Amino acid sequence: MNAQLQTFCDTIPAVADAAALKETFWLNDKKLPEAQQNITEVSPTQIRDASQRLKRFAPYLKKVFPELEATDGIIESELRSIPAMAEFLNKNYDAGIRGRLMLKMDCDLPVSGSVKARGGIYEVLKHAEDLALESGMLKETDDYSVLAEPKFVKFFGKHTVQVGSTGNLGMSIGIMSAKLGFRVIVHMSADAKQWKKDLLRSRGVEVIEYADDYCAAVEQGRKNSDADPMSYFVDDENSQNLFMGYSVAGERLQAQLEAQNIPVDAEHPLFVYIPCGIGGAPGGVTYGIKQIYGDNVHCFFTEPTHACCMMLGMATGLHDGVSVKDFGIDGRTDADGLAVGRPSAFVGRVIQPMLSGIATIQDHKLYDLMRGLLDAEQIFIEPSSCAAFAALIRREDMENYVAAHGLSDKMDNATHIAWATGGRMVPQETREVYIKTGL
């Protein structure tokens, strides 16, 4: 470790803990009041644009994915109260949770079964729309269900979409691109689970496997795509389109909270906990929610101890200028969706003034939490999703944060949302293995 990084370890306790592979909690000292109003890299107008685009595509999505019939082509997940899980956490982890605990069930999102269905599918749809509008084959006022016609499938078939992924992003990009007719190549890192590769291949997606980590798969994918003028690369490290697809979750969450008569204001604070890999999904979701609730929402990211890249990037202020390996951390984790060694070049800087903090968690606890949720609520989510509970079980850290923000007397009115990022697509035999892991 070089002298600069050693200085960070000497002066920032969370960085020292991370380097020692200990679970930790980093409180963001760079958070600013009403910060969402001063972000210049992206804007609320882009969220509205993304939301409108998803509405234009709804007739097409409803036509090609029968599971979207009930929601009229809108890809959304349930927001469910999980009081038995709150009891489990309070009893087994002394979490001291007050208020309402809920699960945002992106684990069950239609089409690709993970939070990546938000950003990944959105970016593919935007690319398809750009190509179709440019060619003169489509107008924004058309009924987009025409995109299912053979002439469009043939047209998209001349183009390639490529992406680097540890799994879930590749699934959403692969499934959506293949459905439209694109040739699809997913560059998958060593961390990707075999069943995800098998599922993609069954949908006609070309999967290229790498013995190296996520960043290497992205780099090679980008290089391959840049060499082909008919290829489009979904860049998880820098993509604003992915980010905006995720950010639409804010207005959707607002509608769900209102439908359940759950207030969010100064007297009824909202806490949101989102697992983080490279940062695109949690960053976009945070940005979208902050646009609506401002300082009345407190957003936390959660990461595995062996792949805490966003915490290291934000705590040091070096962002994508630092990797977990620079601190002697191997980046290997069972939480495949979070197995990223270097954070997004774009996301950390955008959300830095908005994020409350980051908690890390050891892999073995992910399995215990997964079993706890299954027993308490009969809900299955994959292990990496269970990182969503990492901050909630750090009672002292959370109580200190709450007290510092003058919220101690308001927590009985609080709503806590753990964002379940994936799970529905996990095959039954893999679930059985997960359920027995670590016992």
Side-chain angles (χ1 to χ4, degrees), residues 60-61 65 121 124-125 171-180:
Y60 166 77
L61 292 169
F65 295 113
I121 288 175
V124 172
L125 296 177
M171 299 248 288
S172 68
I173 300 289
I175 291 168
M176 191 67 252
S177 300
K179 181 64 77 175
L180 280 156

Side-chain angles (χ1 to χ4, degrees), residues 19-32:
L21 297 177
K22 293 179 186 170
E23 288 183 337
T24 191
F25 183 90
W26 173 69
L27 203 57
N28 181 12
D29 56 351
K30 303 173 185 83
K31 183 173 177 278
L32 299 169

Side-chain angles (χ1 to χ4, degrees), residues 77-92:
S77 72
E78 183 186 354
L79 176 66
R80 188 187 297 184
S81 280
I82 48 168
M85 185 60 177
E87 277 181 45
F88 170 83
L89 295 173
N90 286 343
K91 182 181 170 190
N92 292 278

